[in-house]
Amino acid sequence: MASLIDCPHCGPRPKEEFGVKGAVLPRPGPEAGAAAWMDYVYLRENPRGSYREYWHHAGGCRRWLVVTRDTATHAVSAVADAAGERP
């Protein structure tokens, strides 16, 4: 059986309709130097367990979502519209 993502706008949809776009991380402030921006853009932790990511529902409503999933099992525990989320 295919994995389903419960889109808040479209309901349960196959994960193939979505694209993973990256981790939900706090953005450096305007006064941050080049090193802080380099870390923000290129460096990522590789945690085991719950992780929040931006996903794009390209094959459906075309909305940006924040998906919380377990990196070890890939089980999705929460899905929310990204418009209401702040890192």
Side-chain angles (χ1 to χ4, degrees):
M1 182 170 159
S3 296
L4 298 176
I5 304 296
D6 193 9
C7 176
H9 306 285
C10 304
R13 306 299 299 170
K15 72 174 168 82
E16 290 78 19
E17 289 188 5
F18 300 84
V20 181
K21 301 302 180 182
V24 177
L25 300 172
R27 201 176 156 109
E31 72 288 342
W37 279 100
M38 184 80 147
D39 291 351
Y40 173 75
V41 172
Y42 295 109
L43 298 181
R44 295 288 178 266
E45 296 292 323
N46 191 12
R48 183 176 179 92
S50 183
Y51 199 62
R52 296 176 70 221
E53 300 167 313
Y54 287 115
W55 287 39
H56 183 240
H57 193 180
C61 62
R62 305 194 58 79
R63 299 291 304 249
W64 285 93
L65 307 171
V66 174
V67 175
T68 305
R69 70 176 181 91
D70 188 293
T71 59
T73 65
H74 300 290
V76 173
S77 60
V79 180
D81 192 299
E85 293 281 323
R86 296 285 179 227

